[in-house]
Every structure is written in structure tokens, then in C-alpha cells.
Amino acid sequence: MKRSHKKKSDTAENSISADTLHSGDPAAETAKAETKRRRKKTVKKKKNNDRKPPLKIYVWICFMVVVLFILVLLWIFQYFFLPRYYRAAKIRDVIAAGDKLISGWSSPDIKDKARSLAFEHNMYMLVTDDEGRTVINANNMGDFSFFSEDKEDNFGKTLYQFRQKLPESKNGYITKIVTRDELGHDEIFYCTSFGAEGKTMYLYLEAPIEAIDSTVSIIREQLMYISVILFELAFIATVLISRRISYPIEDLTETAKKFGEGDFEVEFKAEGFREIEELATVLDDARDEVRKVTDLKKDLIANVSHDLRTPLTMVKAYAEMIRDLSGDIPEKREKHCQIIIDEADRLSGLVNSILELSKLESSGAELSLETYSINNQLNEVMTRYTLMVEQKGYDIEYIPDEERKIIADREKLAQVIYNFINNAINYTGEHKVIRVRQINKPDTVRIEVIDNGQGIPKDKLSEVFDRYYRGGKVKRETVGTGLGLSICKEILKNHNFAFGVMSEEGKGSTFWFEAVSAE
């Protein structure tokens, strides 16, 4: 009857839930709307990702844009800036030749230097004194020189006009480009003055700007071939480079998809680039951590289920015994009720330990730091084990060092010490010898809890502070939750205290931590 009643109740409960969903329950409607919203968001995100180009296409496009930009820049320079640049360069050459002549004026072979400069730059060079008399005349342009013709046939009228305008110049010289229609090209006229031998000298330079149209056409024809070849090479090179860059990332992506589907045996391999190799290493580490967390989750569920099932079973069994057998017998009823109370306390302790560990791991527990004597605290802790020493034959001794004060949360550090000693009691050997040792260091106080149990294998030392770690099948004097050392780890981490365990199989274990000294 009970079973049928239970089944009927379940059915009724399911019917109510279904009716609630169809009756317009606000919570149910909100949940459905949220599910739809998330589904739409996922579909939209997938569509957006599908619209985005793959990495290799994106890299190829970027490289080709850069190449095209360089080619366009070259063509713009050839068509628009090359003639201007040529003229500016020619003017700079003429000014530099004039400066070179002026700087070497005191040289005895200045006339030879003037002829050399005129020949080198294909120019006409004239130096006169302040009365217009010729001092140096170097003509490499022959009858085509306008200044030479002006001096001989026009009494130097143009030269005189340049000389008159020279004081108005801010740079100390005058340059002018003149078109010679009869010659079919432009020329540069240059005039400046300088002092020499207590006199003012005037320097006139004339240089042709040769037409470069034929040269430019040749350069442009070559640039056409170069552009075609460069574009083809760039196309091939960018395809290869984009594949080279995207291939290891695509490989990592495929591996990550398998990992996301739950395959923890995958290996993230990548070669060719340091950053991608570092990413693969990070992903491998993340895989190991996720695998560890997954295994820990399974163990946690299994252990919590086991630890909860045992006291619940006993609570139920003894409650039924009280109901059916010992309800009218005070002695048995009291004994059975006490067992129920003990198991309920054990359940409460397990739940509290889980909550405390979760709070510590989420950094939700604040520390109440204070300065106090570690010697006094250890002496207080030892008094709690007097009954166990007297009645159960344990040899628990505190080996102190000199008086030392530390900075810590008194209650939480006491919890660490209790857990270390209780762990030693659970796993100590038949001799039941436990030592609590204080070792003072310059800046810290080291506390060690030593037992003479069977020890911990080397490959298990790194797991000692994990949740529900069991050190082996040993007879335990007290029953714990399996979370004590995990709680110790989180408390000590919050204090920034160093801690650890030393162990050798067959010779026992030593759990230790180092508290910051206040002195």
C-alpha cells in the first residue's frame, strides 16, 4: 500500500507540474522565454561567425592590401612627384655646388675647382666683384648659356637685376626656374653673395634641367613589368604565408572541439610559431586541470553520496527500531536515540565542512588577524587531547621552542592545528606516537605534526590536500569528513603561509606550516 501510495503521489505531483506549465505560471513562462532567448542568441552568434572570413583568407587579404598599397604608392610617385622631385634635387645640387665654391675660395687653385664643378654639373659659373668685373668664368654650357649671352650682349642687365633683388632674399640667395623655349627645356638661375679679401663677391650659376620624359617612360614601362611580377609573387607568397599561419590554429581549433566534446585524451600540438606553441602548452595545462576537476567532481559526488548514505541509513534504521522494538524500553530507546543524534551530528558536520570549504575557496571568509603567542595556543590545543592520552593510550607530546608571537587568525589557525593532529591520530601506527614540534626561524615559526604511521607514497604526496583524499586502508580511531586537510590548505593559503607534508613509507608523515612571526 505504501508503494502504491507513493507512486500515486508522484503521479499527482507530476500532473500538478504539467498543469502549472500549461496554466501560465510566470516562473515557467520566464524560463521558457529565457531558453528561447539563449537559443536565438546562439543561432545568431553562429550565423555571425559563418559570415566572418576564415583566418587564412583574412591574412591573405591583409597581405594583398599592403602589396597593392605599395604598388599604388609607387605609381603615384612616378606620375605626380617624380618631376617635382627631380627639379628639387637639381636645385639642391646647384646650391651645393655654389656652397662648395664659396667654402674653397681661399684655395690657390680655385679657378680649377670652378671649372671642375662647372663640368661636373654641366653649368655656367660666374663670379664678379662689387663693380661687376669678372673674377671667375667657367662655362660648360657654351653658346647655350643665357648668363654668358646676357653679359656679353646685354651688358649683364639680367645679372644686375638678380644682384638688386638679393638683399630682399631671406635665405641669402635667389633661385629661379626659367623656361627656354628656344632650347626646349628649363634652366635654374642662382645668385648669391659672399665676402672675400675685404670685398663683396657675387656668384651666378646657371644649370639646365634636362627633359626626363624619355627616362620616365622607360622607368614606367619597367614599373609595369615589376608590378605584374610583384603582384603574382605576392599572391603566391601570401597564400603560402596565410596557410602557414592558419594551419596550426585550425589544428588547435579541431583539437579544442574534441576536448569540448569530453575527450580528455587529446593533445594540443602546434609547431612553427612561439606564441602558438605557448598557447598549445597552456591548453594542455588547462586540459589537465579540467580532467582533474572532472575526476575530483566524480570522486566528490561518490564520496559525499557514500558519507551521506551511511548516517542516513543508520538514522532511518534506528528510528524504525525505536518505533518497532525499543519504544517501550527506556534504556534501548535512549541508546538508539543517542545513535540517531550522533549520526545527525555527523551529517551536520559534513555539510558544515562542505560549506566552509566552498566559502574558503571562493575567498568569502575574511581573516581576523591578531598578534598572539603561538606557545600559549599550542598548550591550549594539547589540553583537548588529555582524555585521549589517558584512556586510549596515545603518546601525544608538544615540543616547544622559545616564546614567540605570530600574526594570524587565532580561531582559523587553531582549526588547522586540530585538523593536523586529528589526521595524525587517524593515521598513526600501533605505537600511537604523535609529536607537535615548534621550530623558531628568523621571520617565521614552523609548526610540525609528526606521526609514526605507514606513511604516504611519493606519487600521492601532491594529492594529500585534495578533497576526500584517503591515505590508505587503515583503522581510524575517529571518523572524519575527508575535507579537513582541504580546509587547512585554504586557510593557510588565505594567510599566505607556507605549508606541506613530508613522508616516507613505513616511517610516518610530517605535516607542517610556517606562520609569520610578529617579532
Side-chain angles (χ1 to χ4, degrees):
M1 289 180 66
K2 289 182 181 178
R3 290 182 182 176
S4 62
H5 177 70
K6 182 178 180 182
K7 186 174 182 181
K8 187 176 180 181
S9 299
D10 293 341
T11 305
E13 186 177 344
N14 291 337
S15 300
I16 290 171
S17 299
D19 292 340
T20 303
L21 288 175
H22 290 290
S23 63
D25 180 40
E29 294 297 330
T30 303
K32 288 173 68 177
E34 181 66 18
T35 302
K36 283 185 178 180
R37 188 186 66 80
R38 290 179 180 176
R39 191 174 298 164
K40 287 181 180 179
K41 186 177 180 181
T42 302
V43 172
K44 185 178 180 181
K45 187 175 181 181
K46 187 176 181 181
K47 287 182 178 179
N48 291 336
N49 290 337
D50 291 340
R51 293 193 192 104
K52 294 178 180 178
L55 177 63
K56 58 185 176 184
I57 300 298
Y58 181 77
V59 173
W60 178 81
I61 291 174
C62 290
F63 273 108
M64 292 305 298
V65 167
V66 172
V67 171
L68 289 174
F69 176 77
I70 294 173
L71 290 175
V72 169
L73 193 64
L74 287 173
W75 278 98
I76 290 175
F77 181 82
Q78 288 293 326
Y79 271 95
F80 296 102
F81 297 109
L82 183 58
R84 297 180 185 178
Y85 180 81
Y86 173 72
R87 289 192 174 202
K90 196 69 176 177
I91 291 173
R92 288 196 301 270
D93 288 343
V94 171
I95 295 173
D99 293 341
K100 189 178 292 185
L101 180 70
I102 294 172
S103 62
W105 183 258
S106 59
S107 174
D109 57 345
I110 186 62
K111 292 185 178 181
D112 294 334
K113 183 176 289 187
R115 284 192 291 270
S116 177
L117 287 171
F119 177 78
E120 182 181 347
H121 296 280
N122 188 28
M123 64 171 59
Y124 172 78
M125 184 175 290
L126 173 67
V127 179
T128 65
D129 57 17
D130 53 357
E131 295 179 358
R133 292 189 292 267
T134 300
V135 178
I136 291 178
N137 189 345
N139 186 4
N140 197 59
M141 297 178 62
D143 295 337
F144 298 104
S145 172
F146 178 82
F147 279 174
S148 177
E149 182 179 351
D150 179 74
K151 181 174 176 52
E152 293 178 2
D153 300 336
N154 200 25
F155 304 102
K157 183 178 179 180
T158 304
L159 297 177
Y160 181 76
Q161 290 174 350
F162 271 99
R163 175 176 171 178
Q164 291 296 108
K165 293 180 180 180
L166 193 58
E168 301 175 2
S169 174
K170 295 180 180 180
N171 299 323
Y173 60 85
I174 296 174
T175 57
K176 186 177 181 180
I177 296 178
V178 179
T179 300
R180 300 284 301 277
D181 294 331
E182 67 274 17
L183 299 178
H185 63 254
D186 297 338
E187 288 187 348
I188 301 171
F189 292 168
Y190 172 83
C191 175
T192 189
S193 62
F194 63 96
E197 301 174 358
K199 298 180 181 179
T200 300
M201 301 291 183
Y202 293 92
L203 171 63
Y204 303 93
L205 298 177
E206 178 187 356
I209 302 177
E210 293 87 356
I212 58 170
D213 294 340
S214 59
T215 305
V216 169
S217 63
I218 294 173
I219 293 175
R220 287 174 181 172
E221 185 178 355
Q222 290 180 343
L223 186 59
M224 180 75 72
Y225 292 117
I226 292 172
S227 299
V228 173
I229 295 172
L230 182 60
F231 185 82
E232 292 177 353
L233 291 177
F235 182 87
I236 297 172
T238 51
V239 168
L240 296 176
I241 292 172
S242 61
R243 286 182 180 178
R244 176 65 173 163
I245 293 174
S246 62
Y247 175 75
I249 298 177
E250 291 174 352
D251 190 31
L252 285 178
T253 303
E254 291 299 320
T255 307
K257 288 180 180 178
K258 295 179 182 178
F259 174 63
E261 294 170 357
D263 185 2
F264 295 142
E265 301 302 322
V266 296
E267 291 187 9
F268 293 93
K269 295 181 179 179
E271 298 178 354
F273 303 99
R274 184 183 64 186
E275 291 80 3
I276 296 179
E277 291 179 358
E278 290 176 353
L279 176 60
T281 302
V282 171
L283 290 173
D284 276 331
D285 294 339
R287 177 206 59 202
D288 295 338
E289 289 299 320
V290 172
R291 179 193 295 166
K292 185 177 179 181
V293 170
T294 303
D295 294 340
L296 181 61
K297 180 181 177 182
K298 294 177 182 177
D299 294 341
L300 178 63
I301 293 173
N303 285 309
V304 168
S305 301
H306 177 269
D307 283 352
L308 291 176
R309 188 187 300 116
T310 302
L312 284 173
T313 302
M314 294 186 70
V315 167
K316 181 180 179 181
Y318 278 94
E320 290 177 349
M321 288 178 66
I322 292 173
R323 182 194 63 189
D324 299 334
L325 300 176
S326 61
D328 298 329
I329 306 173
E331 294 81 6
K332 288 185 177 181
R333 184 175 66 242
E334 184 179 350
K335 181 179 179 181
H336 293 164
C337 285
Q338 185 60 47
I339 292 174
I340 292 175
I341 293 171
D342 292 341
E343 293 301 322
D345 289 340
R346 181 182 170 192
L347 273 175
S348 178
L350 178 61
V351 172
N352 289 336
S353 294
I354 293 173
L355 291 175
E356 182 178 3
L357 182 58
S358 299
K359 188 175 181 181
L360 288 168
E361 288 180 338
S362 63
S363 300
E366 295 183 359
L367 299 178
S368 299
L369 299 179
E370 57 180 298
T371 301
Y372 63 91
S373 170
I374 185 64
N375 302 70
N376 292 341
Q377 186 177 43
L378 289 169
N379 283 320
E380 292 172 4
V381 170
M382 297 306 295
T383 58
R384 297 282 297 273
Y385 295 95
T386 303
L387 187 62
M388 188 166 285
V389 171
E390 293 176 352
Q391 294 185 357
K392 296 189 177 182
Y394 279 90
D395 181 7
I396 304 176
E397 181 183 352
Y398 165 42
I399 305 173
D401 202 336
E402 295 180 0
E403 176 73 17
R404 183 68 71 89
K405 291 184 177 182
I406 64 170
I407 303 173
D409 187 314
R410 184 192 294 266
E411 292 184 5
K412 286 186 169 54
L413 201 64
Q415 187 177 359
V416 172
I417 298 171
Y418 281 127
N419 280 331
F420 276 8
I421 296 176
N422 291 339
N423 182 75
I425 291 173
N426 287 337
Y427 291 101
T428 193
E430 296 179 356
H431 299 292
K432 299 183 177 182
V433 176
I434 298 171
R435 295 289 180 265
V436 180
R437 178 182 296 154
Q438 173 190 347
I439 303 172
N440 291 345
K441 294 185 176 182
D443 299 320
T444 59
V445 178
R446 182 183 179 97
I447 305 300
E448 296 181 347
V449 179
I450 308 163
D451 65 62
N452 64 343
Q454 66 180 11
I456 305 169
K458 288 184 178 180
D459 59 335
K460 298 294 183 181
L461 284 175
S462 60
E463 304 175 13
V464 169
F465 289 94
D466 291 343
R467 295 183 182 187
Y468 285 101
Y469 171 78
R470 300 300 190 197
K473 296 180 179 180
V474 296
K475 183 179 179 181
R476 292 163 34 133
E477 291 291 340
T478 60
V479 179
T481 63
L483 299 174
L485 292 179
S486 296
I487 292 173
C488 292
K489 179 179 73 173
E490 295 303 324
I491 291 174
L492 294 171
K493 281 172 62 179
N494 288 346
H495 278 81
N496 290 322
F497 288 174
F499 65 94
V501 58
M502 300 179 295
S503 184
E504 186 176 347
E505 290 189 82
K507 295 185 178 180
S509 304
T510 300
F511 285 81
W512 61 270
F513 68 87
E514 292 183 353
V516 175
S517 175
E519 300 176 2

